[in-house]
Amino acid sequence: MSYQIGFIGAGNMGGSLARAACKGLDPKQVLLTDYNGSVAQNLASQLGCDTAESNEQIVRQCKFIMLGVKPHILPGVLQQIAPALAEELEKGEEKTLVSMAAGVTMATIQSYLGEAAKVPLLRIMPNTPAAVGKGMMLVHTENCPAALADEFERIMAQSGRMDRIPESLSDAAATVSGCAPAFAYQFIEGLADGAVMAGVPRDKAMTYAAQALLGAAAMVLETGKHPGALKDAVCSPGGSTIVGVAKLEEGGLRGACIQAVMGAYQKNIQLGKQ
């Protein structure tokens, strides 16, 4: 049996993309495996897809092979699957590797593949909101034919937005697209804590804060206006919002955001050197 897409690694990120793939395809076209078998089994039972017994089975039975493992684990996985991948390519089977490992370049990935290094290769930088169709995925296509890249994006269309950029921008851009959801969760939690201090019930405070950020993000994307202009439109002269904005500036919110992105960027660079 053959599958359109298979996931080696079904954890937080791999699992989020598997959920998106199962919305864009018949789940029976999706195959999962994970070093922790129960993780793959549980996710497969939720989504209605199948599980594989090994990484090699994913390689042999799937057209798109998703590498959803941590950067320090990736070299071992690549060396493990390289012989099976080389055999499949020699038989003329169409295969495409898709890596989501932060900091690991396509050249580094190819260096572990031996005779299979000629395989079409996509490198992506996704984020976990892909699980609910609100993701932001960066796609590097330099080592993949356009038709295969197009097909991959059609499969993953339910994950959210995608943007093709040069791999040279990956370490910097991924700090915003990939890491920022965690930063946003902290902001939502902080806003909700403030509302609770003011007397709002916790569940309502969380809903109000999350919906406000969702709406604000939609305004930026759909109007194309600068965030500063949209902020100004909310701030009435002498009103409560401008007082809150001043408090955020006093607390160094903008500088903290810049430092968070730069810190994550430096870590991405380090990951690529391991």
Side-chain angles (χ1 to χ4, degrees), residues 163-188:
D163 190 34
R164 296 185 188 185
I165 64 170
E167 188 182 30
S168 59
L169 291 178
S170 177
D171 289 337
T175 60
V176 179
S177 64
C179 303
F183 309 156
Y185 298 143
Q186 287 183 284
F187 189 40
I188 291 170

Side-chain angles (χ1 to χ4, degrees), residues 20 30 41 47 54 81 94 127 141 150 168 175 181 183-184 188 203 209 232 236 243 260 262 270:
V30 179
Q41 288 285 354
L47 300 179
S54 66
I81 67 174
E94 197 169 37
N127 63 17
T141 63
D150 291 344
S168 59
T175 60
F183 309 156
I188 291 170
D203 59 340
D232 290 347
S236 302
V243 172
M262 289 305 297
Q270 292 175 18

Side-chain angles (χ1 to χ4, degrees), residues 2 29 34 39 41 43 52 56 58 93 122 135 146 152 159 163 202 253 269:
S2 61
Q29 288 293 305
D34 193 273
V39 169
Q41 288 285 354
L43 184 59
E56 289 86 351
I58 295 281
E93 296 293 334
L122 285 168
F152 171 77
S159 69
D163 190 34
R202 169 67 64 180
L253 175 68
I269 294 174

Side-chain angles (χ1 to χ4, degrees), residues 223-270:
T223 68
K225 293 183 178 180
H226 191 281
L230 292 169
K231 177 264 294 178
D232 290 347
V234 185
C235 295
S236 302
S240 57
T241 303
I242 191 63
V243 172
V245 167
K247 290 293 185 182
L248 290 174
E249 290 293 339
E250 183 181 320
L253 175 68
R254 209 181 306 228
C257 290
I258 293 170
Q259 291 305 311
V261 170
M262 289 305 297
Y265 171 55
Q266 293 299 327
K267 182 61 177 180
N268 276 348
I269 294 174
Q270 292 175 18

Side-chain angles (χ1 to χ4, degrees), residues 26-199:
D26 180 340
K28 290 302 181 183
Q29 288 293 305
V30 179
L31 188 63
L32 307 177
T33 191
D34 193 273
Y35 77 94
N36 183 340
S38 63
V39 169
Q41 288 285 354
N42 291 339
L43 184 59
S45 65
Q46 293 175 36
L47 300 179
C49 54
D50 294 335
T51 58
E53 294 182 359
S54 66
N55 294 339
E56 289 86 351
Q57 184 183 346
I58 295 281
V59 170
R60 295 190 185 281
Q61 295 189 332
C62 300
K63 181 175 182 178
F64 289 94
I65 302 157
M66 303 288 287
L67 301 169
V69 299
K70 299 292 185 183
H72 68 282
I73 296 174
L74 185 60
V77 170
L78 291 170
Q79 291 171 330
Q80 178 192 42
I81 67 174
L85 184 57
E87 290 176 12
E88 292 299 304
L89 294 173
E90 185 66 25
K91 291 190 294 187
E93 296 293 334
E94 197 169 37
K95 304 291 178 180
T96 300
L97 277 187
V98 185
S99 172
M100 61 187 85
V104 184
T105 67
M106 288 187 279
T108 299
I109 292 169
Q110 289 171 323
S111 73
Y112 288 107
L113 291 174
E115 294 181 3
K118 61 184 178 182
V119 66
L121 174 61
L122 285 168
R123 184 179 169 204
I124 63 172
M125 286 288 101
N127 63 17
T128 54
V132 293
K134 300 294 184 183
M136 182 70 241
M137 182 188 298
L138 309 179
V139 185
H140 311 310
T141 63
E142 290 94 322
N143 291 345
C144 185
L148 285 172
D150 291 344
E151 183 178 357
F152 171 77
E153 290 187 353
R154 285 194 296 271
I155 291 172
M156 298 306 304
Q158 295 300 311
S159 69
R161 290 176 177 249
M162 285 173 271
D163 190 34
R164 296 185 188 185
I165 64 170
E167 188 182 30
S168 59
L169 291 178
S170 177
D171 289 337
T175 60
V176 179
S177 64
C179 303
F183 309 156
Y185 298 143
Q186 287 183 284
F187 189 40
I188 291 170
E189 186 179 26
L191 293 174
D193 284 346
V196 171
M197 283 185 68

